[in-house]
Amino acid sequence: MEYDREGPQLPTARGPVSRAVGAHLLGTGPLPSPEAVAAAPAYGDDLQLALYQCYELHYRGFAGVSPDLEWDPGLLEVRAALERRFLAALRADTPVHDSVADAVGALLVEPLHGEGVSHFLRDEGELWQLREYAAQRSLYHLKEADPHAWVLPRLWGRSKAAMAAVEFDEYGGGRADRVHARLFADLMSDLDLDTTYGAHLDAASAECLATVNMMSLFGLHRSLRGALVGHFAAVEITSSPGSRRLAEAMRRTGAGPAAEHFYDEHVEADAVHEQIVRHEVIDGLLEQEPGLAADVVFGIDATGHLEERFGDRLLADWRAGRSSLRTPLPALRRARGESSHIS
């Protein structure tokens, strides 16, 4: 059997389900029982890490794990059970708008006195908090746009063409040095963080894992293509103002030019993407499949629900003066203004 030699290390287990999934991937133990899966809290560390491990086989896999396990029938059965619990929780807990117009309209309204994470980091965030934020977000940003690419074969016509155009921008417009995942790695270097793919998985909270797992859940299921489009719309519509605040936070703390550039790039690019997603991706999809409107709304609002949970966790920890991470980051090895490149 062939094994991946590259790729991140398997993460440390957070409970019986993630431990059993990890053992199965290494060939050292059985898969978790249905009873163990049923007992795991839907938003908890154990279930979310187990689901993340299953999904990661569709991206870069793990060192020492056979790529053939991507389609292992037993593992797919466990993944489906984990997904059912996660999706049921999302549907039960997400307050949804009455229409796509209402859901999109809410995204377009910037609160007069914002209290979210980007507002906090802009106004009073310290460098250690920016580093923690970047470390957790690296679970997505080092594969930025990849979960959304799964939806392309599931679309056609206007929505497919527009989605592909936005994805092309996310992948640097054909230039490797402008791929957004590369730009985020440069940001991490400015913040003296390990840029290795998957390096911060053990440190990330369950709330962070859930935001990434939702993208994979929506992207890997054709039946959830409307929800993926809704999720993508929520990200693109809210990205530009949020990125502006984060760019200001990077400048205020002297994080470095690459750290500033990542968010400056998103201010400009996502202002354009917002228009494309609203008028071509969503409208094109619903013109062909009007029955997916409720799924688009669910995708928009579920994104807001999980981002709010993640933001609440970050702010609760930071305002209490404690780390938001499960494992600590290494201390900064340089003064501000010096260059740092991590291999």
Side-chain angles (χ1 to χ4, degrees), residues 131-295:
R131 295 180 79 226
E132 289 194 356
Y133 183 75
Q136 297 213 57
R137 286 298 195 190
S138 71
L139 270 62
Y140 167 63
H141 281 304
L142 291 182
K143 57 171 171 258
E144 185 167 346
D146 290 350
H148 305 124
W150 295 113
V151 82
L152 284 170
R154 313 176 195 283
L155 304 176
W156 62 93
R158 284 172 59 199
S159 58
K160 187 186 193 83
M163 189 78 185
V166 175
E167 288 285 273
F168 183 65
D169 282 352
E170 302 286 351
Y171 291 131
R175 290 179 52 184
D177 62 320
R178 293 184 60 83
V179 172
H180 284 190
R182 175 68 261 169
L183 297 181
F184 194 80
D186 294 341
L187 171 150
M188 294 177 73
S189 288
D190 264 2
L191 293 172
D192 205 9
L193 294 170
D194 188 345
T195 64
T196 306
Y197 181 89
H200 302 286
L201 177 53
D202 277 335
S205 65
E207 291 82 0
C208 175
L209 295 181
T211 66
V212 184
N213 283 338
M214 181 180 63
M215 301 183 209
S216 299
L217 171 65
F218 291 169
L220 285 167
H221 289 270
R222 181 175 173 273
S223 62
L224 294 171
R225 62 195 180 280
L228 189 283
V229 166
H231 161 75
F232 193 62
V235 170
E236 295 298 324
I237 291 171
T238 60
S239 175
S240 187
S243 293
R244 183 176 291 106
R245 290 187 286 271
L246 290 169
E248 292 173 11
M250 296 296 176
R251 273 188 278 275
R252 181 177 58 78
T253 56
E260 296 172 20
H261 176 67
F262 176 82
Y263 288 111
D264 284 335
E265 171 75 12
H266 281 71
V267 171
E268 181 178 345
D270 291 342
V272 176
H273 293 171
E274 172 207 326
Q275 298 295 317
I276 297 173
V277 172
R278 287 171 57 200
H279 300 299
E280 296 299 323
V281 179
I282 292 179
D283 289 353
L285 174 68
L286 296 182
E287 182 179 82
Q288 294 167 324
E289 300 185 272
L292 293 181
D295 287 343

Side-chain angles (χ1 to χ4, degrees), residues 299-319:
I300 291 172
D301 290 331
T303 301
H305 170 62
L306 289 188
E307 287 294 331
E308 184 176 353
R309 293 184 76 256
F310 181 40
D312 287 347
R313 167 68 185 272
L314 290 173
L315 293 176
D317 286 335
W318 292 343
R319 285 174 173 150

